[in-house]
């Protein structure tokens, strides 16, 4: 469960562009709905209430949206719900088109490269030639859009994620701020750790375990996305790290730093990334798959301590 920093330049830029592009679209779609439907007073009054809160719905953090959700549920009728689903049309938003703002634009602005739920799979964004749809992360609705259509196009409700976490593991599971951590709101990176044990229950003889500090919201999220179970598919990577500890001593790492990396003025972070293929700082974990997992195992094996010591050499 990787934290997404709402104060990072990419997220700030993405949020600004999100509001700038979607607010006019919503107002435009409201006009089309008015043209094609009979508008009753109740629906018109609902729009008057909604119009002054579009900014809030689009970019407020989920913790600030509860009042709006409660009020919408109080006012909700078949007409208002149909109206909301039309103007906050998620299907239109995700329709691939390089010439207009949509899901690809948001994904490119965010540039979140791995799934924050699992940190196992890349979530890169790329177009094919001539602007044709390529690949992008899925957007998980933290609050599911079927129960909360008002939040179908709410920035902090659209979590860039891999298809396994979004479709296979979470599926129709219901998330709630009181019961689950939120990637943009909660930084729990040090509240749980990957570890391992030897076992005769698997072919590899290894088993990945996840230890946590008892935070109930974190525990529920770890369970929902089956983090311990899916990471037991990575015992081969775990085995490689154990072999590294067995084969290469602290002296080897020291020599590597002194003879190769120090002459190139390579930082500890760069050395770590080159050696292990993952990020060194927790704020960068989201950039490379398995960064949290490998950091925890390398720390347990004492290899990270060796790197910190060798960083001051030369």
């Amino acid at each position: 469960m990787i934290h997404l920093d709402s104060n990072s330049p990419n997220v700030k830029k993405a949020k600004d562009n999100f509001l700038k592009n979607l607010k006019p679209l919503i107002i435009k779609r409201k006009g089309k709905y008015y043209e094609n439907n009979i508008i009753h007073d109740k629906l018109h009054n609902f729009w008057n209430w909604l119009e002054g809160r579009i900014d809030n719905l689009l970019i407020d953090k989920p913790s600030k949206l509860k009042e709006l959700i409660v009020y919408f549920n109080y006012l909700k009728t078949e007409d208002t719900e149909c109206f909301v689903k039309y103007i906050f049309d998620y299907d239109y938003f995700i329709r691939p088109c390089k010439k207009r703002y949509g899901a690809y634009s948001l994904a490119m602005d965010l540039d979140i490269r791995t799934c924050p739920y699992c940190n196992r799979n890349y979530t890169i964004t790329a177009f094919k030639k001539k602007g044709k749809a390529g690949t992008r992360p899925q957007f998980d609705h933290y609050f599911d859009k079927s129960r909360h259509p008002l939040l179908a196009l709410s920035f902090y409700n659209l979590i860039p994620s891999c298809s396994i976490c979004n479709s296979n593991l979470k599926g129709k599971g219901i998330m709630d701020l009181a019961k689950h951590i939120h990637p943009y709101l909660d930084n729990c990176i040090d509240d749980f750790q990957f570890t391992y044990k030897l076992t005769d229950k698997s072919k590899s003889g290894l088993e990945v375990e996840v230890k946590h500090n008892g935070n109930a919201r974190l525990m529920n999220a770890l369970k929902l996305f089956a983090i311990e179970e899916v990471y037991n598919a990575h015992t081969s990577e775990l085995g490689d790290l154990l072999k590294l500890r067995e084969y290469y001593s602290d002296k080897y790492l020291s020599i590597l730093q002194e003879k190769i990396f120090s002459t190139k003025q390579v930082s500890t972070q760069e050395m770590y990334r080159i050696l292990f293929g993952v990020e060194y700082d927790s704020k960068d974990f989201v950039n490379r798959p398995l960064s949290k997992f490998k950091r925890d195992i390398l720390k347990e094996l004492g290899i990270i301590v060796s790197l910190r010591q060798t960083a001051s050499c030369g």
Side-chain angles (χ1 to χ4, degrees):
M1 310 302 289
I2 306 299
H3 176 59
L4 303 179
D5 184 4
S6 59
N7 292 316
S8 71
N10 281 0
V11 173
K12 286 183 175 180
K13 173 188 174 183
K15 186 171 68 171
D16 289 345
N17 284 340
F18 190 80
L19 177 62
K20 177 183 176 181
N21 287 278
L22 285 190
K23 185 174 181 179
L25 175 64
I26 289 168
I27 294 173
K28 181 179 179 180
R29 290 185 69 80
K30 171 260 180 182
K32 288 185 177 180
Y33 191 90
Y34 268 44
E35 289 175 5
N36 299 322
N37 295 272
I38 298 173
I39 307 302
H40 301 290
D41 288 343
K42 285 186 177 180
L43 185 58
H44 187 66
N45 291 336
F46 174 74
W47 169 252
N48 289 338
W49 171 82
L50 185 63
E51 186 176 20
R53 293 166 176 81
I54 292 177
D55 288 25
N56 303 94
L57 285 167
L58 289 178
I59 62 172
D60 269 5
K61 290 186 178 179
S63 54
K64 294 184 178 181
L65 296 175
K66 289 184 178 180
E67 182 181 340
L68 296 176
I69 295 172
V70 170
Y71 193 74
F72 172 68
N73 288 335
Y74 174 74
L75 295 176
K76 186 167 61 176
T77 65
E78 186 175 339
D79 284 346
T80 57
E81 189 165 19
C82 182
F83 176 64
V84 163
K85 288 180 178 179
Y86 181 83
I87 63 173
F88 295 101
D89 187 355
Y90 181 72
D91 290 337
Y92 179 79
F93 175 72
I94 64 174
R95 198 176 301 161
C97 179
K98 196 172 184 179
K99 294 182 179 180
R100 67 167 176 80
Y101 186 88
Y104 272 87
S105 309
L106 174 58
M108 291 182 72
D109 284 345
L110 285 170
D111 193 27
I112 292 171
R113 306 187 68 79
T114 71
C115 175
Y117 289 138
C118 70
N119 191 221
R120 296 189 316 126
N121 298 309
Y122 274 115
T123 53
I124 58 175
T125 305
F127 279 94
K128 295 179 181 178
K129 291 182 178 179
K130 298 182 180 180
K132 293 183 179 180
T135 182
R136 64 164 176 81
Q138 290 189 1
F139 283 103
D140 169 50
H141 287 81
Y142 182 92
F143 298 110
D144 64 288
K145 64 181 183 296
S146 62
R147 295 174 68 240
H148 301 287
L150 203 62
L151 304 183
L153 292 179
S154 186
F155 180 83
Y156 288 110
N157 198 40
L158 298 173
I159 311 299
S161 58
C162 68
S163 60
I164 294 175
C165 284
N166 184 32
S167 301
N168 297 351
L169 294 175
K170 181 187 176 185
K172 295 183 179 180
I174 296 174
M175 297 182 78
D176 184 272
L177 292 177
K179 297 180 180 179
H180 302 88
I181 61 173
H182 188 291
Y184 279 113
L185 302 181
D186 302 289
N187 188 354
C188 299
I189 198 69
D190 293 322
D191 292 341
F192 73 100
Q193 291 79 39
F194 289 101
T195 184
Y196 70 95
K197 66 178 181 181
L198 304 179
T199 180
D200 57 4
K201 296 180 180 179
S202 69
K203 293 181 180 180
S204 66
L206 299 169
E207 183 178 340
V208 175
E209 293 184 318
V210 178
K211 295 182 178 180
H212 50 75
N213 66 354
N215 180 331
R217 294 171 63 239
L218 171 62
M219 291 167 57
N220 288 336
L222 292 170
K223 182 178 180 180
L224 179 61
F225 293 102
I227 296 300
E228 188 170 86
E229 290 84 353
V230 296
Y231 267 89
N232 267 292
H234 292 282
T235 53
S236 61
E237 287 87 344
L238 171 60
D240 289 343
L241 296 179
L242 296 177
K243 288 177 182 177
L244 180 69
R245 175 75 278 178
E246 178 184 353
Y247 296 159
Y248 300 127
S249 65
D250 295 350
K251 185 177 180 180
Y252 168 81
L253 294 173
S254 179
I255 292 172
L256 194 62
Q257 171 77 16
E258 182 179 353
K259 299 297 184 182
I260 301 177
F261 291 105
S262 64
T263 59
K264 302 293 184 181
Q265 295 184 333
V266 176
S267 68
T268 301
Q269 289 83 354
E270 290 172 307
M271 178 182 175
Y272 182 86
R273 187 167 58 248
I274 292 167
L275 286 175
F276 306 117
V278 293
E279 296 292 341
Y280 181 84
D281 291 327
S282 60
K283 65 180 177 61
D284 298 320
F285 282 174
V286 76
N287 292 329
R288 296 216 178 191
L290 303 180
S291 288
K292 163 68 174 170
F293 171 69
K294 287 190 176 182
R295 193 284 299 268
D296 288 354
I297 299 299
L298 289 167
K299 186 176 180 181
E300 183 173 350
L301 295 175
I303 295 176
I304 286 182
V305 174
S306 302
L307 280 172
R308 286 175 176 171
Q309 291 172 342
T310 58
S312 61
C313 297

